[in-house]
Amino acid sequence: MDGNFSPAAIFSVVLLTLALSPSNAFLEPYDLLYNNAVQAFYDSEYENVVLYMEGALSSYTEVRRTRVRCRLRCQDQHPFDGTFTDQRFFDVVLRRAACMNSCIEEKLGSQSLHKVSEDVVQDFQRRIPYNYLQLAYQKLKQPDKAAAAAHTYFQANPEHVEMGQNLEQYKDVQGVQEEHFVDREARPHQRSFTAAVKLYDRGDYDGAIALFEEALKEYYKVDMECRALCQWPQKFEGHDHLRYRYSLHELISDHFTQVLHCEHECVRDLATRPGRLSPMENYLPLHYDYLQFAYYQVEQLEEALQCALTYLLFHKEEEFVTENVEYYRQILGHNGKPREEAAWYLRRHKQELELLLIGSKTMGVEFTEGNYWSSTGGRDDSNRIPSGTDGWMEYVPISEKKNFTLVAPQQLKEGGPLVYDSVQLVNNSAALNGTQRVLLDHVISEEECSDLRHLAHAVTMAGDGYRGRMSPHTPNEKFEGATVLKTLQYGYEGRVPMRSARLFYDISERARRIIESYFLLNSTLHFSYTHLVCRTAITGQQDHRNDLSHPIHADNCLLDPEANECWKEPPAYTYRDYSALLYLNGDFEGGEFIFTEMDAKTVTASVKPKCGRMVGFSSGGENPHGVKAVTSGQRCAVALWFTLDPLFRELERLQADEVIQALDTQAVWGQGLNINPKDEL
């Protein structure tokens, strides 16, 4: 760096200084700090990456902490008393709202500054900032801090094989100690629980009891904080947090139902480890199951009985714990009572369920209660009776259920006609070590590849298709894209040759027909999304790189490698049925397409892109896939996703069809394109 700073950079540093000053009631918005950090990363200004990114993480934490603190304080200051009337109810509501607004703005500044996009929120929840920090600290030769950042990121992204390899390398770096591998975002209740299980397994029952009790204390504290954070705009089954109604009470009902749904789901949130999709099975009840036996081992039978009775609040018919309760009662000579905090927790949970059923019916949406602790997963049966156990226990954190369904074997078909004479079959499913997979060559010609690459350079925009994020999957590459409709608009405006714009449209239809025919589908395959996309290696950021260009994933379900599951639920595009990638070039380094097992680690097939090559496959959990790092040059392709459900046809594709029809008839080009992106199907 030459020491010259732009006015904007100086202003940002001043704002950051103010933001981190405890005496100033202004907190720099974490999305702005985050964007500054990302930009600094692309500019190779690694000191600023650390400055801004650490500031963003501090700001993010402070915003959450302040909202929790203010909500709880205002709730205590303005309680609902025994006298209940409409006027009294709204008096409390209005006073709490005024209190909250005053409290938050006193700590953070104007709340409007801290309205952050959902994409940024998701990045922080996925711990993406720590990926940038790991790389920045590595460049600054601070391996101890890089190790901590890498470890923190990896805890929430266990499928990121390359980060795991980085961590192994850090262990061999001089100056890096075991204590540097810390999870900077560790959740106290889960940390205590995990440590308690380890002590329990080693037979250290006194130590385990202390940590299990600490874990419970932290659990109920974090539950309160989780619920406090639900007091902001929510989305419930695709509904915005507020919908205009003529009735005030219906409006309040809708909003309250959505907030209550969020609060009710805190039980799932608290049992789910970072980066995982499935909660730890039977999480809260297991605390009491462990404790009842640990207390028995140290001959504290009063406490053992109390914890066993508490466990039975969750599982009333649990045979082994019921036998334990009888055993404790016989020894003690009297009955006991379950812990009040758990009894109160379950009473509230039941009441919330009743209210959610009423509120969701008013909203016109369906609500189904989650199976929060329906399974009694935990210790082996032989070890659940105090008089006959050696204290060994196996903790079962993942449910056995499967959430995606593979197509029945008799329904899997392939080997149909390739439609076009030039297209050559390279590998079928068997050769690619999977099901519903195909690799084809000569889908388009060298000339067509060249035309589409030139088109890509003219029309693609950084972040297109990724909500404006230039590097949605890795900070070491830049992503640019364009849709069919956008290229046709550019062609109409004379910014690109209309012939090239139409070529993009035509070859995507060619790909659709090939996939539909080869997999012998007995219904029409519709476009779900079509994207001309290029990913470019960023110069200066490829040294010792071993991350993926696109992490392992499935196209219509949420891949959970640890659980060996693929959850077919939003935000996954659950309606997608088939996918295809048509490559436009091969003159770059890296960038191989890979299929894996559901563990996201075991590679089953690898495809080297080249002009005219296309890989097609079904979009479900049977085909996890990703892209190896592009370490030099630019990799361009046409990405296509298809659906068998006409209700989920791509809107832009339908508009593009109309444009092509108009072009063919030469009817409306004189008046311009009548394209309205907001048109509905």
Side-chain angles (χ1 to χ4, degrees):
M1 298 177 62
D2 59 9
N4 294 323
F5 297 92
S6 68
I10 294 173
F11 180 64
S12 294
V13 172
V14 170
L15 286 179
L16 180 59
T17 304
L18 290 171
L20 301 180
S21 172
S23 62
N24 201 299
F26 174 82
L27 186 71
E28 180 77 353
Y30 66 86
D31 58 340
L32 177 58
L33 292 168
Y34 180 50
N35 289 336
N36 287 343
V38 172
Q39 186 58 55
F41 185 88
Y42 292 136
D43 295 338
S44 300
E45 297 174 353
Y46 300 111
E47 293 89 349
N48 282 341
V49 173
V50 170
L51 176 69
Y52 289 127
M53 200 64 82
E54 293 286 11
L57 289 166
S58 296
S59 177
Y60 174 73
T61 300
E62 184 58 29
V63 166
R64 290 170 62 88
R65 184 186 296 123
T66 298
R67 286 177 170 173
V68 169
R69 188 188 307 122
C70 289
R71 190 258 170 128
L72 297 177
R73 188 176 85 178
C74 294
Q75 181 175 291
D76 290 340
Q77 289 180 358
H78 304 283
F80 289 104
D81 58 24
T83 305
F84 189 85
T85 63
D86 283 359
Q87 188 174 12
R88 175 57 184 156
F89 171 79
F90 285 108
D91 176 79
V92 174
V93 169
L94 294 174
R95 291 184 187 278
R96 281 189 184 181
C99 174
M100 290 268 297
N101 189 64
S102 175
C103 177
I104 291 174
E105 294 202 348
E106 178 184 345
K107 301 292 184 182
L108 306 182
S110 174
Q111 290 197 61
S112 62
L113 290 173
H114 299 282
K115 291 183 178 179
V116 178
S117 72
E118 185 63 26
D119 290 329
V120 173
V121 171
Q122 289 182 6
D123 278 0
F124 276 74
Q125 291 174 345
R126 293 168 54 212
R127 302 189 181 182
I128 300 300
Y130 289 99
N131 195 6
Y132 286 98
L133 278 175
Q134 181 254 158
L135 295 167
Y137 279 127
Q138 185 184 80
K139 293 287 187 180
L140 295 172
K141 302 189 184 306
Q142 298 181 41
D144 54 338
K145 294 181 178 179
H151 182 78
T152 302
Y153 177 81
F154 189 68
Q155 296 308 300
N157 299 273
E159 78 285 353
H160 202 289
V161 180
E162 293 73 18
M163 189 64 78
Q165 294 171 349
N166 286 353
L167 287 168
E168 291 300 318
Q169 293 174 4
Y170 285 131
K171 292 178 182 178
D172 298 328
V173 175
Q174 186 176 3
V176 177
Q177 307 297 325
E178 183 177 353
E179 57 266 24
H180 293 142
F181 294 91
V182 296
D183 182 359
R184 292 177 49 181
E185 299 283 343
R187 309 182 80 176
H189 69 290
Q190 292 183 1
R191 180 173 54 203
S192 297
F193 179 78
T194 302
V197 171
K198 291 179 180 178
L199 292 181
Y200 184 99
D201 289 341
R202 294 205 297 263
D204 182 357
Y205 299 110
D206 286 314
I209 287 170
L211 284 174
F212 278 126
E213 295 289 10
E214 179 65 24
L216 281 171
K217 178 181 176 182
E218 291 291 344
Y219 181 95
Y220 289 114
K221 176 184 175 183
V222 175
D223 176 69
M224 180 175 60
E225 294 173 353
C226 174
R227 299 169 74 84
L229 289 170
C230 288
Q231 297 296 310
W232 274 264
Q234 300 294 325
K235 284 193 174 181
F236 181 67
E237 299 296 333
H239 291 256
D240 289 336
H241 75 287
L242 286 179
R243 291 188 300 158
Y244 181 78
R245 298 243 189 188
Y246 292 108
S247 163
L248 171 64
H249 293 99
E250 284 183 304
L251 182 63
I252 294 173
S253 173
D254 282 2
H255 194 181
F256 175 74
T257 299
Q258 293 168 65
V259 170
L260 187 62
H261 178 261
C262 173
E263 293 179 346
H264 198 66
E265 283 291 291
C266 282
V267 62
R268 172 182 287 274
D269 176 71
L270 269 61
T272 304
R273 288 171 290 177
R276 306 329 194 262
L277 299 170
S278 52
M280 290 180 275
E281 186 174 326
N282 201 30
Y283 180 67
L284 179 58
L286 270 179
H287 288 69
Y288 298 104
D289 192 21
Y290 275 106
L291 278 169
Q292 65 97 9
F293 192 78
Y295 276 122
Y296 164 78
Q297 289 283 15
V298 297
E299 299 182 353
Q300 296 184 39
L301 298 192
E302 292 280 2
E303 290 79 3
L305 175 59
Q306 184 186 52
C307 290
L309 288 169
T310 304
Y311 184 85
L312 289 177
L313 292 175
F314 297 90
H315 301 292
K316 299 186 188 315
E317 306 300 326
E318 173 56 54
E319 177 183 357
F320 298 104
V321 180
T322 301
E323 292 175 358
N324 289 0
V325 166
E326 292 304 316
Y327 173 84
Y328 297 137
R329 284 172 174 168
Q330 289 177 13
I331 298 296
L332 292 170
H334 61 78
N335 293 328
K337 291 183 178 180
R339 292 192 179 183
E340 177 55 31
E341 81 270 5
W344 177 86
Y345 183 90
L346 284 171
R347 286 196 300 270
R348 183 188 65 183
H349 190 84
K350 181 179 179 180
Q351 184 181 24
E352 286 176 349
L353 174 59
E354 294 172 355
L355 294 174
L356 281 168
L357 292 173
I358 296 171
S360 58
K361 184 176 181 180
T362 302
M363 289 181 68
V365 298
E366 183 178 352
F367 173 75
T368 303
E369 170 78 334
N371 295 321
Y372 302 109
W373 38 71
S374 61
S375 169
T376 57
R379 296 183 278 122
D380 273 5
D381 292 351
S382 61
N383 299 324
R384 298 176 75 86
I385 302 175
S387 57
T389 180
D390 59 4
W392 182 84
M393 178 176 187
E394 180 181 4
Y395 176 60
V396 184
I398 298 297
S399 170
E400 294 297 323
K401 69 186 176 74
K402 298 294 181 183
N403 194 263
F404 78 94
T405 303
L406 296 179
V407 181
Q410 64 270 21
Q411 294 177 314
L412 296 178
K413 297 179 181 180
E414 64 176 276
L418 298 178
V419 185
Y420 302 93
D421 293 338
S422 64
V423 179
Q424 176 185 346
L425 175 65
V426 179
N427 291 128
N428 59 13
S429 293
L432 292 171
N433 302 309
T435 59
Q436 295 286 274
R437 301 175 180 178
V438 66
L439 182 63
L440 306 167
D441 275 347
H442 307 302
V443 175
I444 59 176
S445 67
E446 290 283 352
E447 181 181 357
E448 289 171 324
C449 285
S450 178
D451 283 350
L452 289 173
R453 288 201 306 273
H454 284 105
L455 179 68
H457 295 154
V459 302
T460 56
M461 293 181 60
D464 182 274
Y466 301 97
R467 298 183 181 178
R469 292 180 290 174
M470 291 189 298
S471 300
H473 306 304
T474 170
N476 299 304
E477 297 175 24
K478 182 175 70 172
F479 288 71
E480 299 166 299
T483 63
V484 170
L485 184 62
K486 178 182 174 182
T487 57
L488 289 173
Q489 289 173 316
Y490 270 45
Y492 169 72
E493 294 167 0
R495 299 164 70 175
V496 298
M498 179 55 76
R499 178 180 59 84
S500 297
R502 172 136 192 182
L503 176 63
F504 180 19
Y505 175 91
D506 290 339
I507 66 99
S508 59
E509 171 60 19
R510 189 184 310 173
R512 188 199 66 79
R513 292 187 62 196
I514 292 171
I515 295 297
E516 182 183 83
S517 175
Y518 178 79
F519 287 113
L520 297 168
L521 303 178
N522 55 13
S523 58
T524 302
L525 201 58
H526 305 279
F527 287 98
S528 168
Y529 190 60
T530 312
H531 205 216
L532 175 60
V533 60
C534 296
R535 54 189 80 202
T536 307
I538 297 176
T539 303
Q541 293 178 201
Q542 306 303 318
D543 294 343
H544 310 294
R545 182 183 168 194
N546 58 4
D547 64 331
L548 291 178
S549 176
H550 198 143
I552 304 300
H553 64 286
D555 285 343
N556 72 6
C557 52
L558 304 174
L559 191 63
D560 188 349
E562 186 171 281
N564 205 40
E565 304 275 5
C566 205
W567 304 94
K568 201 162 185 180
E569 59 187 40
Y573 299 100
T574 56
Y575 47 83
R576 290 178 176 173
D577 295 298
Y578 284 86
S579 309
L581 290 157
L582 174 58
Y583 300 109
L584 306 184
N585 67 318
D587 55 342
F588 51 85
E589 294 181 13
E592 293 88 351
F593 176 93
I594 54 175
F595 286 112
T596 73
E597 298 284 3
M598 285 190 66
D599 62 5
K601 298 178 182 179
T602 306
V603 176
T604 57
S606 179
V607 174
K608 175 64 178 175
K610 69 175 185 178
C611 167
R613 172 163 287 179
M614 183 170 77
V615 58
F617 48 94
S618 56
S619 303
E622 66 278 6
N623 282 320
H625 58 279
V627 179
K628 289 187 175 181
V630 178
T631 56
S632 177
Q634 183 182 67
R635 176 189 190 271
C636 293
V638 175
L640 307 111
W641 293 271
F642 306 104
T643 178
L644 293 168
D645 189 340
L647 292 176
F648 292 99
R649 289 176 294 176
E650 181 184 11
L651 175 59
E652 283 203 6
R653 186 72 191 197
L654 297 178
Q655 295 168 337
D657 291 342
E658 294 177 359
V659 171
I660 291 297
Q661 184 179 10
L663 178 63
D664 288 342
T665 60
Q666 299 292 311
V668 299
W669 290 100
Q671 291 78 36
L673 296 180
N674 184 21
I675 298 169
N676 179 9
K678 296 184 179 180
D679 283 344
E680 297 183 358
L681 289 175

